[in-house]
Amino acid sequence: MSDLFAPQMSKEMAERRPLADRLRPKNLAEVTGQEHLTGEDGVLARMIAAGSLGSMIFWGPPGTGKTTVARLLSGEAGLAFEQISAIFSGVADLKKVFESARLRRMEGRQTLLFVDEIHRFNRAQQDSFLPVMEDGTVILVGATTENPSFELNAALLSRARVLTFKSHDAESIETLLKRAEETEAKPLPLDADARATLIRMADGDGRASLTLAEEVWRAARPGEVFDTEGLGKIVQRRAPVYDKGQDGHYNLISALHKAVRGSDPDAALYYLCRMFDAGEDPLYLGRRLVRMAVEDIGLADPQALVVCKAAKDAYDYLGSPEGELALAQACVYLATAPKSNGVYVAYKAAMRAAKEHGSLLPPKHILNAPTKLMKAEGYNEGYRYDHDEPDAFSGQDYFPEKMGRQTFYDPPERGFEREIKKRLDWWAKLRRERGGG
């Protein structure tokens, strides 16, 4: 929680604060990278101008200014500011905050309650915010890096507006670096290529870009200017923003799958390498490639499944880093293969039919009759052995009588399924001629 009566920090201590803290914007107009929210025509700027703030959820990657913007909102709207973190707070902490907010409200002042990592609260804790939001005790501003649709209660979301914070682009990071240079009264000791590399290393995180800049200034000797190789020696590369159990994981695997489905081998390789680079388990990616082979290529190229299985075995045999090449080869194979979801669609249709029609008995002529009773009941009566028929095709009906003949699989005329379609059409013609339906 904030303490309005805390002693002021000395000038020397203030200068020792991290650069990212010293460069925090003083008003919404100074916020960079989120102009769609804080610019003159931005949502938040309009709310301030109208003198009416509502509860909000700030959703976006780390280092995009969620906490800073919440503080600035409270200041510009004349609200008391309270901050808690869902990681370190429990029900008792929430009760204290709510009680303080109620007392302020009785004195005529409203409270902006900023909850960092709000998705960490469980469902019951999230529900505890509802009464104080509804009666105006607090204006809730929750910050989360996770998709609110999945992580927050529907009741909470119905009372709060979700605002999306964007990762900083290169231009926005460059603006931050220039501000840092003005504050430090000296240029970053980097050549043009190294500066561009540092911007890429920040990976859209404004706070990270300033931390990296601080590391460069600390490491530089008088007059020294680093090139890209020198920068790499003094700065540890940040891991990509990617959580194998959260949004980053699902976003990238979705992008990989859709690039394969869309027959774009270059984009597919890019997303595959993004996941390798982030430390994803290669065997997980191997399993996903197998899924793509059966869902999106299917029988248009029956070798796709074989290739993916072989790639998985190759990774098992070679390990890293050589084994990743086998998975990359399978990825390119899938992206460049003819596409068909014919079997996938047929499977889902057949599954629906199996559930809808219940436990229908197959036609008796295709059932074995190992006992006299079963023979007497007509089991296996009239069955025609296909290999003894012309063209090795009897044309019999194999569906339950009460269900009638069904068609689930309709192969497109692409890849190997062109040949399959020719066979099916020919068999359908023979079936009609031989009375099988």
Side-chain angles (χ1 to χ4, degrees):
M1 300 178 201
S2 61
D3 186 352
L4 298 178
F5 304 100
Q8 293 298 308
M9 188 180 296
S10 69
K11 182 178 179 181
E12 182 181 355
M13 289 297 293
E15 290 176 351
R16 291 181 182 176
R17 287 182 299 146
L19 182 60
D21 192 40
R22 284 184 279 139
L23 284 178
R24 284 188 187 276
K26 304 298 188 297
N27 53 62
L28 287 178
E30 291 184 4
V31 174
T32 184
Q34 310 303 330
E35 286 75 16
H36 63 295
L37 300 177
T38 62
E40 185 177 348
D41 292 324
V43 173
L44 296 176
R46 289 177 178 273
M47 286 185 181
I48 294 295
S52 177
L53 285 182
S55 292
M56 294 168 279
I57 302 297
F58 290 172
W59 174 32
T64 50
K66 297 186 291 294
T67 304
T68 296
V69 169
R71 284 184 176 275
L72 295 175
L73 281 177
S74 69
E76 298 198 14
L79 304 174
F81 182 78
E82 290 273 9
Q83 178 176 350
I84 61 174
S85 170
I87 297 175
F88 303 111
S89 304
V91 174
D93 301 296
L94 292 176
K95 288 181 177 179
K96 291 178 182 178
V97 172
F98 296 158
E99 186 58 33
S100 297
R102 288 190 182 98
L103 291 174
R104 286 194 199 94
R105 191 178 179 215
M106 292 173 64
E107 297 170 356
R109 193 179 186 199
Q110 203 169 17
T111 300
L112 187 151
L113 173 58
F114 178 70
V115 183
D116 199 16
E117 304 286 343
I118 191 171
H119 62 276
R120 301 272 189 166
F121 277 135
N122 61 36
R123 300 292 174 177
Q125 289 169 321
Q126 290 180 30
D127 283 342
S128 69
F129 290 102
L130 304 182
V132 293
M133 293 169 66
E134 288 177 344
D135 66 14
T137 299
V138 302
I139 293 174
L140 175 69
V141 176
T144 178
T145 57
E146 304 303 328
N147 191 326
S149 301
F150 302 141
E151 302 296 336
L152 299 182
N153 283 358
L156 183 62
L157 286 176
S158 71
R159 293 164 173 81
R161 181 173 183 175
V162 176
L163 300 181
T164 303
F165 280 62
K166 300 176 181 178
S167 292
H168 288 276
D169 57 20
E171 183 179 351
S172 178
I173 296 290
E174 178 63 34
T175 298
L176 292 175
L177 294 180
K178 287 179 179 178
R179 286 183 186 174
E181 290 172 323
E182 291 172 4
T183 299
E184 295 294 296
K186 55 185 176 182
L188 267 173
L190 299 172
D191 66 20
D193 290 340
R195 191 182 184 97
T197 299
L198 184 142
I199 290 173
R200 288 195 297 273
M201 284 180 176
D203 204 18
D205 186 326
R207 183 171 50 242
S209 70
L210 298 176
T211 301
L212 291 169
E214 265 191 312
E215 291 181 26
V216 170
W217 269 312
R218 290 192 189 109
R221 297 188 178 97
E224 187 174 19
V225 176
F226 297 109
D227 58 13
T228 300
E229 184 179 355
L231 175 66
K233 290 179 180 178
I234 63 169
V235 176
Q236 289 293 319
R237 179 182 180 275
R238 293 181 68 252
V241 177
Y242 178 88
D243 185 334
K244 286 187 279 184
Q246 303 296 335
D247 275 357
H249 164 86
Y250 295 112
N251 287 343
L252 288 185
I253 196 62
S254 175
L256 171 61
H257 197 147
K258 289 178 174 63
V260 166
R261 181 182 294 153
S263 301
D264 190 333
D266 300 307
L269 261 183
Y270 167 71
Y271 289 116
L272 182 75
C273 291
R274 279 275 301 274
M275 298 184 84
F276 281 150
D277 185 50
E280 183 59 79
D281 179 7
L283 289 178
Y284 166 79
L285 292 170
R287 290 191 294 272
R288 295 300 305 188
L289 291 172
V290 168
R291 169 62 192 258
M292 296 172 207
V294 296
E295 179 178 341
D296 292 296
I297 285 81
L299 292 177
D301 184 349
Q303 286 300 308
L305 180 58
V306 177
V307 168
C308 288
K309 182 64 167 59
K312 178 263 181 188
D313 291 343
Y315 179 83
D316 272 343
Y317 184 63
L318 293 174
S320 293
E322 293 88 351
E324 282 85 350
L325 183 58
L327 297 175
Q329 179 174 316
C331 178
V332 171
Y333 188 98
L334 295 181
T336 55
K339 304 299 186 296
S340 170
N341 68 343
V343 173
Y344 182 58
V345 170
Y347 167 76
K348 291 195 294 184
M351 183 60 74
R352 284 195 300 271
K355 291 179 179 179
E356 290 170 3
H357 292 280
S359 303
L360 296 177
L361 187 70
K364 288 184 178 180
H365 66 270
I366 66 171
L367 300 179
N368 290 333
T371 67
K372 291 181 179 180
L373 175 61
M374 295 172 77
K375 288 181 181 178
E377 290 291 322
Y379 282 42
N380 205 235
E381 184 177 337
Y383 174 67
R384 293 156 62 188
Y385 186 57
D386 285 86
H387 292 289
D388 291 340
E389 298 291 323
D391 305 305
F393 183 78
S394 65
Q396 297 170 104
D397 186 13
Y398 298 98
F399 277 93
E401 292 178 9
K402 292 183 178 180
M403 185 175 174
R405 179 155 190 84
Q406 305 285 317
T407 299
F408 302 127
Y409 179 46
D410 182 21
E413 294 192 9
R414 291 191 296 274
F416 183 69
E417 281 182 301
R418 286 194 186 97
E419 298 302 317
I420 294 177
K421 187 171 182 62
K422 290 177 184 177
R423 296 177 197 173
L424 291 178
D425 290 344
W426 183 56
W427 284 327
K429 174 176 175 294
L430 293 181
R431 187 178 289 110
R432 289 191 297 270
E433 292 173 354
R434 297 174 188 182

